[in-house]
Amino acid sequence: MGRAEAADEPGDSTAPATPDRLRRRASRLLSQLTTRSDRLINDGLSRADARKWHYAVLASLQDHGPGSQATLSGRTGIHRSDMVGVLNELAERHLVERTPDPDDQRRNIITISTRGRDHLIRLDQVLDDLHDELLAPLSPAERDQFVQLLTRLLDHHTRTP
């Protein structure tokens, strides 16, 4: 953690107080929360022998069905060149299956395996626990409202004109 981040840690009486004008900036607060959230989620998934991209691909396959590498890239936001590595990792663990596309033999169709479904259920529980930790200061109603507000903001800023 850098010195700038440390200044915002509670209980550090030697660090200068963060100016109110910084604590009122939504962009700064979101950025700092994102940093802490990423660290929490990445560490937690690592302990479950997974990465966030594994979860994204497995969830996409479970919720939307089989797809090509390009389809999965679009669904998950994982760049196509990175998707190959993610799919290789998942295939090595027998969490997904690759089969030739009957319409185009140059590409594969990726499907979640039974083992992948089981792993996804475990990862859902891991993430539920991590989100409980992340959102601990909020009541259940506040958590729902927070997610709704974040979703609305993200939807607004990712709409194509």
Side-chain angles (χ1 to χ4, degrees):
M1 178 180 335
R3 280 189 249 189
E5 287 181 44
D8 292 324
E9 289 294 317
D12 185 357
S13 59
T14 63
T18 301
D20 285 342
R21 72 177 60 223
L22 290 177
R23 291 192 55 83
R24 290 190 311 258
R25 298 287 177 200
S27 58
R28 183 170 190 275
L29 293 169
L30 286 169
S31 177
Q32 289 189 317
L33 184 59
T34 297
T35 298
R36 285 161 174 77
S37 173
D38 281 348
R39 188 177 305 134
L40 177 72
I41 299 303
N42 289 332
D43 290 350
L45 286 173
S46 176
R47 287 190 301 273
D49 195 28
R51 296 187 306 133
K52 62 184 174 181
W53 297 128
H54 295 166
Y55 181 80
V57 169
L58 293 173
S60 174
L61 291 169
Q62 178 65 29
D63 291 355
H64 299 290
S68 66
Q69 176 182 319
T71 299
L72 290 170
S73 179
R75 287 182 194 166
T76 62
I78 301 171
H79 194 275
R80 281 180 167 186
S81 62
D82 296 328
M83 182 61 75
V84 173
V86 173
L87 292 175
N88 286 342
E89 291 171 4
L90 293 171
E92 286 171 10
R93 296 175 184 193
H94 306 285
L95 301 175
V96 299
E97 298 167 353
R98 291 177 170 144
T99 55
D101 184 338
D103 297 328
D104 184 348
Q105 294 296 312
R106 294 171 297 168
R107 72 176 172 199
N108 289 314
I109 298 296
I110 313 303
T111 306
I112 190 170
S113 67
T114 301
R115 189 171 175 176
R117 283 186 186 82
D118 293 342
H119 190 62
L120 181 60
I121 290 168
R122 284 191 299 278
L123 294 180
D124 279 332
Q125 184 58 57
V126 167
L127 286 171
D128 287 347
D129 293 345
L130 292 168
H131 286 130
D132 284 345
E133 184 178 338
L134 178 68
L135 302 175
L138 303 178
S139 71
E142 288 172 324
R143 291 175 187 201
D144 289 343
Q145 182 181 22
F146 182 64
V147 170
Q148 288 172 3
L149 291 170
L150 288 173
T151 301
R152 196 162 97 205
L153 284 167
L154 185 60
D155 287 349
H156 172 79
H157 290 287
T158 56
R159 259 189 227 127
T160 51

